[in-house]
Amino acid sequence: MTSYGQFCPVAKAMEILDERWTLLVVRELLAGSTHFNELRRGNPKMSPALLSKRLRTLERVGVVRRTGDAAGRTSYRLTESGEELRPIVEALGAWGVRWIGELGTEDLDPHLLMWDIRRTVAVDAWPRERTVLAFELDDVAPRVARWWLVVSGAEADVCDYDPGFDVDATIRAGLRTLTEIWRGDREWVDALRSGAASVTGPTSVVRQVPRWLGQMQLAAVPRPA
């Protein structure tokens, strides 16, 4: 870690937190990720080596606790110190929604989008039986253009390969459009009405898809007038 050489508590905190990717690792832990692969899925552009390095640093300073189970699988969880970062991360997210709205092409990532949908989708609003939504992104490379969201009871999973289940409805949209809807920059009704997004399937299911998927939690943050 780089030292600022200041006694200021803000400077001492930033010696830990302003290293590249560190707060995004904390964000994933706050969102409920506990295993290395889950943390990678939440930061798909971060190398495994750098993730390991950041986790070791966070463990050393007491922000993260590493444990192992009987099967030898390692878990990472925030300590009391780490949990205290929650309002800080939430405030940064709200600030970003309000004041940094423009998205460049480099900010669009289907892996992160689908992972974020999977981990925060309101499964309580879904039918209790297994329900499958297929996503077809029309403006990305074919290898990352098709995704499946499977919700069964209280569990949700996302696949980049066909899981072999019957599809209840299919959402077609560009990655930018779907990202804007998820972030709250654009409403479902507007995207559907304009043809930027479409949902096909039985009418009874199609009507429910926007409610089932919803938007990310920070979408509710008010924007400046």
Side-chain angles (χ1 to χ4, degrees):
M1 295 181 292
T2 301
S3 172
Y4 288 106
Q6 294 188 10
F7 65 82
C8 170
V10 174
K12 299 307 293 180
M14 292 305 289
E15 287 176 1
I16 298 167
L17 299 177
D18 77 345
E19 286 192 301
R20 185 171 170 81
W21 295 102
T22 295
L23 269 183
L24 298 186
V25 174
V26 172
R27 178 200 68 191
E28 292 306 304
L29 291 161
L30 288 168
S33 296
T34 58
H35 298 295
F36 191 86
N37 284 340
E38 293 172 341
L39 294 168
R40 282 206 66 202
R41 292 186 76 175
N43 290 301
K45 295 180 180 179
M46 186 181 190
S47 73
L50 184 55
L51 175 56
S52 295
K53 182 178 180 181
R54 293 293 182 263
L55 287 169
R56 287 195 300 270
T57 298
L58 290 171
E59 184 181 8
R60 186 170 67 250
V61 298
V63 172
V64 167
R65 181 182 298 109
R66 181 178 57 175
T67 59
D69 59 20
R73 191 178 188 195
T74 300
S75 297
Y76 300 91
R77 288 180 171 81
L78 292 169
T79 62
E80 181 181 358
S81 166
E83 280 291 339
E84 201 167 304
L85 292 170
R86 185 179 297 275
I88 296 171
V89 173
E90 291 175 348
L92 282 171
W95 184 85
V97 166
R98 282 194 296 269
W99 302 109
I100 309 179
E102 185 176 348
L103 295 178
T105 302
E106 68 279 4
D107 300 321
L108 305 175
D109 187 333
H111 296 90
L112 177 57
L113 174 63
M114 298 309 302
W115 178 247
D116 200 39
I117 290 174
R118 174 261 177 197
R119 68 182 176 186
T120 58
V121 70
V123 294
D124 290 345
W126 292 58
R128 293 301 84 194
E129 66 273 11
R130 183 174 61 219
T131 306
V132 181
L133 298 183
F135 294 79
E136 296 183 0
L137 306 177
D138 58 21
D139 59 352
V140 297
R143 60 185 174 79
V144 292
R146 301 194 69 195
W147 299 81
W148 290 261
L149 178 64
V150 182
V151 176
S152 183
E155 299 294 327
D157 198 11
V158 67
C159 307
D160 57 1
Y161 58 87
D162 189 342
F165 303 130
D166 291 338
V167 172
D168 295 279
T170 300
I171 298 96
R172 295 182 177 87
L175 176 58
R176 178 176 291 277
T177 296
L178 196 58
T179 301
E180 289 174 347
I181 293 171
W182 184 243
R183 279 172 40 100
D185 302 329
R186 188 171 194 173
E187 294 301 323
W188 270 104
V189 63
D190 296 331
L192 293 170
R193 186 178 295 142
S194 69
S198 67
V199 183
T200 57
T203 302
S204 59
V205 176
V206 168
R207 286 200 201 101
Q208 297 299 322
V209 166
R211 183 176 71 88
W212 289 347
L213 288 175
Q215 295 172 310
M216 70 185 300
Q217 294 169 351
L218 287 169
V221 173
R223 270 70 164 176

